[in-house]
Amino acid sequence: MEVLGFQVQVCNGEGCNSIGAKKIVSLLKAELKQNGLDKDVEVIKTGCVGLCNLGPSIIVHPDSIVYANVKPSDIHELVVEHFIKGKQLERLLYKLKPGDGRICSLDKLDMYKRQERIVLRNCGIINPEDIEEYIARDGYKALGKVLTEMSPQEVVDVIKKSGLRGRGGGGFSTGAKWEFAAKQKNYQKYIICNADEGDPGAFMDRSVLEGDPHAVLEAMAIGGYAIGANKGFIYVRAEYPLAVERLKIAIAQAKEYGLLGEKIFDSSFEFDIEIRLGAGAFVCGEETALMQSIEGKRGMPVTKPPFPAVSGLWGRPTIINNVETFANVCPIILKGSDWFKSIGTEKSPGTKVFALGGKIRNTGLVEIAMGTPLRDIIFDIGGGIPNDKAFKAVQTGGPSGGCIPARALNVPIEYDTLTKLGSMMGSGGMIVMDEDNCMVDIARFFLDFTKDESCGKCTSCRIGTKRLLEMLEKITGGEGTMEDVHKLEKLAIQVRNTALCGLGQTAPNPILSTLRYFKDEYISHAVDKKCTAKACKKLVEYKIELDLCKKCGLCAKNCSANAISIKEGEGYFIDVNKCIRCDVCRQVCAFNAIVKE
């Protein structure tokens, strides 16, 4: 048997693990050992590689061959074909879309070719549970540099000059924030990593923690040195068990190697990190609510000023950055601020990680240079809209963001342009919608979320979001009027202007942005009692096209409401008064005879 030298990387992010990746790893190792190949083929568990629609995915090096949607039952055949016979297993090779030829290697994927991976530089490449793999890719080199060659002020200056802005949503200058805290005269300061990622459809921070936890630990230590802090906290939601597990492993390894604790790199600097679990409250993503939670109090926002950099955790100067912000720090230290500024735009340097989801072919994580047009992200990197549907809008910034219409596809993605469009960068969720999405219903969906997540401290948010949701439910239910639409807009503006924290202030954004770009849909709901997207149940009727109906009776058999019956000599019909609009009849019809009107 020919001696082979392969490394097999199996995505072991939470998404792939949920559909069998853990079993794939164990089966792969067992199959290789059974065939005497365990010494020649190394199996590596990695974090998320970003190709979520292909999961579980296996990448075989040195040729970066991508096998997609692998099942445990495929492993025997894969080992025989690829590692014994030396042939690629054709049926598992990734195909971009139906009709295309097979795309074998990672560097040929459009989703990868257009990316600039700084934050995700190690994700999907290293074993996140092995500190030596991180060190082999310049891990902890930046920390060593700042402790042996740079003063705290020089570190602050480099980060400030780089133009790095907070990737958690606000976009505030990271260097300026660090500088405020560094100037405070206090014996105790804190560094906090905000990993309380709660936006629907967002999983950027989780994937970094799962795939490259040491990058965050090293950056937090650098931040601690820069501002004079010796203690750090990672506030991560308990719903991220794999991220928590790998953080615990990483912290233990860093301490064992002397990279956390006392006299790091034989210097006088000491720094330690603790993990604090959040209970899943969306409001705890707001920095003051987050600190209240760490202190053991109910997570509720506190009026600012004073700002955390002056008086934060337990009244001490505190810096709070999110996972992605920290993940940019080490490359900036090693490569310099000018290098970072050469990527992206003047006002928004660097890259941004987005979680592509919704009605798009290539779902997953992408990291692109700031200033990349939205069109390139949706159609070149994301692969466009499935089933030849028309692109309608994209929601950025999660429930705090807005819906950007098709006419803005050529707009470059950066902080200021998104704000002008009525949306925001947010943490990086990007939900794509097609012609079948009702924009009024989308606004209702997000208000339903923010209403539930309000901490209740201020009346504007506690009562305002509830009333906004009631109005949206009335309009999508076919009972709204134009007066309701006007009241909706007026109240949305009032909530935005008077709420205490960012959650309440941005909660109306989905309403205001859809009113701005899709007001015709609100008018159609209120005046014509029609949902043009045919998505709002109470504004839709089902009809059987008799010329297409084969009278098989399958629709009637599957109707739980008994709303479908047959008239002698005429055919089947649907009683609109009994119909509950569950869509089952249309789904089971093999002849496309049932339509929504």
Side-chain angles (χ1 to χ4, degrees):
M1 185 182 295
E2 182 184 358
V3 177
L4 306 174
F6 292 108
Q7 185 183 77
V8 181
Q9 296 175 332
V10 183
C11 176
N12 261 219
E14 195 69 87
C16 284
N17 281 349
S18 68
I19 49 176
K22 282 185 177 181
K23 189 173 183 180
I24 285 172
V25 170
S26 60
L27 287 174
L28 188 55
K29 287 182 176 179
E31 193 75 32
L32 290 168
K33 186 173 183 179
Q34 184 177 335
N35 287 278
L37 294 170
D38 52 312
K39 297 291 192 296
D40 301 313
V41 182
E42 182 184 17
V43 179
I44 301 293
K45 294 189 304 181
T46 72
C48 178
V49 72
L51 306 173
C52 297
N53 61 310
L54 307 185
S57 61
I58 291 178
I59 302 174
V60 184
H61 295 286
D63 297 321
S64 299
I65 304 301
V66 180
Y67 289 115
N69 307 123
V70 181
K71 299 179 179 64
S73 58
D74 297 322
I75 297 304
H76 173 74
E77 185 183 2
L78 179 62
V79 170
V80 171
E81 292 296 317
H82 196 115
F83 302 111
I84 295 177
K85 294 182 180 180
K87 299 187 299 182
Q88 295 174 8
L89 182 53
E90 182 76 14
R91 69 179 181 83
L92 290 181
L93 290 175
Y94 172 54
K95 183 184 284 187
L96 185 61
K97 55 187 175 182
D100 284 2
R102 298 288 182 178
I103 296 184
C104 302
S105 62
L106 200 61
D107 59 359
K108 291 182 180 179
L109 297 177
D110 286 335
M111 197 170 181
Y112 259 67
K113 285 190 294 187
R114 295 293 304 273
Q115 293 190 48
E116 294 195 44
R117 293 169 75 88
I118 298 173
V119 172
L120 302 178
R121 60 192 179 275
N122 293 325
C123 292
I125 296 175
I126 66 170
N127 180 352
E129 297 179 10
D130 187 344
I131 189 174
E132 293 193 358
E133 291 203 16
Y134 177 71
I135 291 172
R137 288 178 60 84
D138 293 333
Y140 290 102
K141 189 175 180 180
L143 179 59
K145 179 179 179 179
V146 302
L147 293 181
T148 59
E149 300 177 18
M150 302 172 71
S151 68
Q153 185 58 51
E154 286 174 330
V155 176
V156 171
D157 290 342
V158 168
I159 299 301
K160 190 175 180 180
K161 185 182 176 184
S162 73
L164 174 64
R165 298 173 67 169
R167 297 306 198 244
F172 190 75
S173 166
T174 303
K177 186 187 284 190
W178 287 17
E179 189 172 52
F180 292 149
K183 289 180 178 179
Q184 303 306 309
K185 305 298 181 184
N186 201 303
Y187 72 91
Q188 181 65 65
K189 300 178 184 179
Y190 297 104
I191 291 280
I192 296 177
C193 174
N194 182 353
D196 190 59
E197 183 178 51
D199 290 5
F203 51 96
M204 301 76 58
D205 291 352
R206 187 198 75 197
S207 296
V208 173
L209 294 177
E210 291 175 358
D212 195 15
H214 285 284
V216 175
L217 304 186
E218 183 180 6
M220 289 178 69
I222 290 171
Y225 174 73
I227 73 165
N230 61 11
K231 185 74 173 180
F233 293 92
I234 301 177
Y235 187 87
V236 57
R237 51 183 45 228
E239 295 96 328
Y240 287 178
L242 183 60
V244 173
E245 177 188 343
R246 289 181 174 167
L247 279 171
K248 288 179 178 178
I249 292 170
I251 290 172
Q253 290 176 341
K255 288 181 178 179
E256 181 184 349
Y257 277 63
L259 300 168
L260 285 178
E262 299 178 353
K263 298 182 179 179
I264 302 174
F265 281 98
D266 294 325
S267 70
S268 60
F269 177 62
E270 62 180 75
F271 191 76
D272 198 9
I273 295 175
E274 288 184 24
I275 299 172
R276 293 294 173 90
L277 299 184
F282 181 66
V283 73
C284 285
E286 196 277 336
E287 58 184 9
T288 60
L290 183 154
M291 290 187 294
Q292 293 279 298
S293 181
I294 290 179
E295 291 176 5
K297 303 171 185 174
R298 181 178 176 183
M300 300 177 77
V302 176
T303 305
K304 295 179 286 189
F307 291 95
V310 176
S311 177
L313 193 63
W314 291 297
R316 308 297 186 185
T318 304
I319 287 300
I320 304 176
N321 292 122
N322 85 322
V323 172
E324 187 179 342
T325 308
F326 278 121
N328 279 288
V329 169
C330 296
I332 292 172
I333 294 295
L334 292 177
K335 297 183 180 181
S337 54
D338 289 338
W339 162 79
F340 190 75
K341 288 174 70 175
S342 70
I343 303 167
T345 66
E346 181 181 357
K347 293 184 178 180
S348 299
T351 61
K352 183 72 189 78
V353 180
F354 289 101
L356 285 179
K359 308 287 186 67
I360 193 163
R361 283 196 176 93
N362 300 332
T363 57
L365 287 183
V366 298
E367 183 173 0
I368 50 93
M370 291 281 198
T372 301
L374 184 59
R375 182 184 300 277
D376 292 2
I377 300 172
I378 303 298
F379 291 97
D380 294 343
I381 298 173
I385 315 302
N387 305 316
D388 296 320
K389 296 285 186 176
F391 169 79
K392 190 172 192 177
V394 61
Q395 167 90 1
T396 65
S400 300
C403 296
I404 302 171
R407 61 178 178 270
L409 273 172
N410 293 324
V411 170
I413 296 297
E414 56 181 347
Y415 287 97
D416 299 334
T417 55
L418 289 181
T419 302
K420 288 178 183 177
L421 286 170
S423 188
M424 62 187 296
M425 186 74 72
S427 58
M430 189 173 278
I431 309 298
V432 180
M433 288 160 272
D434 68 11
E435 60 192 75
D436 293 333
N437 287 109
C438 168
M439 303 314 295
V440 187
D441 189 56
I442 290 294
R444 182 206 57 78
F445 169 82
F446 283 110
L447 258 293
D448 191 29
F449 177 85
T450 50
K451 183 264 297 181
D452 286 343
E453 294 296 339
S454 173
C455 75
K457 186 173 184 177
C458 71
T459 305
S460 293
C461 185
R462 182 181 70 250
I463 303 299
T465 54
K466 183 175 176 62
R467 294 293 172 261
L468 289 171
L469 177 61
E470 289 172 352
M471 291 180 188
L472 286 167
E473 288 176 337
K474 185 178 179 182
I475 294 168
T476 56
E479 299 174 358
T481 64
M482 282 307 297
E483 183 181 2
D484 292 313
V485 174
H486 297 319
K487 286 181 178 179
L488 178 74
E489 185 171 18
K490 183 178 179 180
L491 180 57
I493 294 170
Q494 288 177 338
V495 172
R496 181 189 65 186
N497 294 340
T498 59
L500 173 62
C501 79
L503 185 150
Q505 292 163 7
T506 58
N509 280 351
I511 295 172
L512 294 172
S513 65
T514 50
L515 278 169
R516 177 178 175 181
Y517 298 116
F518 302 97
K519 194 163 189 177
D520 58 315
E521 294 196 26
Y522 282 87
I523 295 172
S524 179
H525 281 67
V527 177
D528 302 325
K529 308 303 179 188
K530 291 287 184 182
C531 174
T532 54
K534 300 175 183 177
C536 296
K537 283 187 176 182
K538 292 187 178 180
L539 297 179
V540 171
E541 290 186 2
Y542 284 81
K543 178 183 177 183
I544 298 176
E545 300 283 1
L546 295 179
D547 56 330
L548 296 176
C549 179
K550 304 300 181 183
K551 301 180 182 178
C552 65
L554 193 61
C555 57
K557 292 176 184 177
N558 285 274
C559 181
S560 61
N562 296 317
I564 303 177
S565 57
I566 190 168
K567 283 185 178 180
E568 192 67 34
E570 295 183 25
Y572 283 92
F573 76 99
I574 300 173
D575 186 338
V576 294
N577 295 316
K578 290 183 179 180
C579 178
I580 60 173
R581 300 166 179 85
C582 63
D583 201 51
V584 170
C585 59
R586 189 178 66 87
Q587 293 175 28
V588 300
C589 180
F591 309 105
N592 298 319
I594 301 179
V595 296
K596 291 195 292 185
E597 292 186 337

